[in-house]
Amino acid sequence: MKLRGVGRGRVCIAVAGLVLLAGCTDMNLSEPGVKAPDEAAAPQAHAEAAAPPEAAPVAAVAQPGSEATKPFAFDAPATADTPPAACRFEGLALPANTKVLAAGAYSGKESDFQIDQSGHPATTIQVAVHEPDAPVALLLGAYEPTVWTVGWTRGTRIAAVLVTGYHRQQLTGLPAGVPVLVSTYDNRGPCGYAYVSEEGAAKLNPMAREAFGRPVDVAYMARDGRAVVGKLPPGAALVTDAAAAPVEAFRLKDAPLAGQAGLDAAMRDGTLRATATAPADVRAWNAARQRSEGAPDIPRIEGGSVSRGTEVPYRSYTVLKAFAIPAGLHGAHSATFFVAAGVPAPTGDPGHSQVRFIETGSCMGPTCGMR
């Protein structure tokens, strides 16, 4: 029998096919003065290890698949976009007369679905390109998660596209042969991120120089989810790729409706009702709050109107069943939710909305206590 070093100086003794862990030692064979066991030591080591007192039986190791199984439900996270390795188009040589044209906005036309985990509804921007006199390198940028659809006039040649923004950006409409580079804050792209606006214009030229080797010639602002790049002749015919995926194809799988569309759906199925139709809900919440916190320490005001605390807040809903707050309720899209007694607390991200519990008079949300 031979002693064998395992790993970096690990020595184990094997007897009749069983590995005796008590006979394993860690040895650094590279240290001065430490010698590896030789063949002469083997008989003695064997004799000492052959008869351990009351040796415990070796337990069998269970192997996956050797027992009964059942399906394992696993909600895999959304696949992250793979950013390019560098802020450039590998192997692309743009003709000297190429024009770099930018288009975009902070956001496009709001949709009722999500394309990422940002909690913001996706927006959409249609881009119509007319530039028959020179090849075009497009720089498209929006802050909000956006699906871009691109069309062009006959004779226009789109040589490359850089798509950028803070949240996820998706592009459809271009032939597969057109090189596309996506660099956003969310995918930690090598070009950084930008979006086309007056306040964000300072980032556009540096980004274009890095990606295309030249600055932006002209930037076009998108309005109402549409951007015209170049001077589109009246009645000009536009084309797009025959295999272009529809905007809906980028919907995040199994994500509920976002924003107002999600609220409207909850109204239709009876999960929500407009609090304006039941102002008693507001009075009940105020009464519960006073029981919990006491009456507010304020003087009586002569000539004042009814206390604002008893008014029905703008965009308020009463929650009647288990409810998941739709994504995208930020800023002017925020709402106030009054949760009826016995109804569980809503799930989801409230955004800038308030959740008021009629039973306890408590409030949850970043704007609670603000007027």
Side-chain angles (χ1 to χ4, degrees):
M1 186 195 79
K2 293 185 179 180
L3 299 178
R4 297 183 179 179
V6 180
R8 187 170 176 267
R10 184 171 177 81
V11 179
C12 296
I13 302 171
V15 179
L18 293 178
V19 177
L20 301 181
L21 298 180
C24 295
T25 59
D26 287 324
M27 300 177 64
N28 188 345
L29 302 184
S30 63
E31 293 182 3
V34 179
K35 298 181 179 178
D38 55 20
E39 294 293 330
Q44 181 179 355
H46 180 256
E48 292 174 354
E54 299 296 329
V58 178
V61 179
Q63 298 296 323
S66 62
E67 58 282 314
T69 63
K70 67 178 182 179
F72 176 58
F74 180 68
D75 294 326
T79 304
D81 295 324
T82 302
C87 185
R88 62 175 179 269
F89 294 84
E90 296 293 343
L92 177 66
L94 293 174
N97 65 334
T98 300
K99 290 186 177 180
V100 177
L101 303 177
Y106 183 89
S107 64
K109 183 179 180 181
E110 191 169 295
S111 74
D112 63 357
F113 61 90
Q114 301 168 66
I115 62 171
D116 63 6
Q117 300 286 4
S118 67
H120 296 213
T123 72
T124 62
I125 298 180
Q126 293 181 304
V127 182
V129 187
H130 175 69
E131 183 50 72
D133 298 329
V136 174
L138 284 178
L139 195 167
L140 306 177
Y143 179 92
E144 293 288 6
T146 299
V147 180
W148 303 81
T149 58
V150 179
W152 60 93
T153 55
R154 298 287 184 184
T156 295
R157 178 193 164 200
I158 300 174
V161 183
L162 168 59
V163 189
T164 183
Y166 191 88
H167 296 298
R168 192 177 199 186
Q169 307 293 310
Q170 297 280 19
L171 182 69
T172 184
L174 292 173
V178 177
V180 176
L181 188 155
V182 180
S183 179
T184 67
Y185 175 85
D186 280 357
N187 79 353
R188 302 299 189 266
C191 304
Y193 80 94
Y195 58 94
V196 178
S197 65
E198 292 179 359
E199 62 271 20
K203 286 187 173 183
L204 299 179
N205 278 342
M207 182 177 289
R209 285 191 181 95
E210 189 172 6
F212 300 120
R214 63 201 74 191
V216 173
D217 291 287
V218 186
Y220 299 88
M221 287 290 298
R223 306 288 182 189
D224 301 320
R226 295 187 296 273
V228 176
V229 176
K231 296 188 181 299
L232 190 65
L238 293 160
V239 296
T240 192
D241 183 55
V247 169
E248 285 281 338
F250 300 98
R251 178 191 292 268
L252 193 64
K253 183 182 178 182
D254 299 328
L257 293 174
Q260 189 61 47
L263 297 176
D264 293 343
M267 290 274 288
R268 288 192 297 271
D269 68 18
T271 299
L272 300 180
R273 73 173 173 220
T275 306
T277 65
D281 293 338
V282 181
R283 294 194 293 271
W285 179 78
N286 275 298
R289 183 179 61 167
Q290 288 197 19
R291 288 194 299 271
S292 175
E293 302 177 2
D297 184 18
I298 57 175
R300 181 169 59 89
I301 302 174
E302 291 288 350
S305 61
V306 177
S307 170
R308 288 183 61 185
T310 62
E311 296 175 354
V312 177
Y314 175 65
R315 288 175 55 82
S316 60
Y317 303 86
T318 299
V319 182
L320 305 174
K321 304 176 185 177
F323 172 58
I325 298 174
L329 300 186
H330 301 272
H333 300 288
S334 62
T336 301
F337 299 102
F338 290 89
V339 182
V343 175
T347 59
D349 179 9
H352 294 148
S353 299
Q354 290 186 18
V355 180
R356 301 181 180 183
F357 297 89
I358 294 175
E359 196 167 16
T360 62
S362 57
C363 179
M364 178 182 73
T367 61
C368 289
M370 298 173 61
R371 288 286 186 178

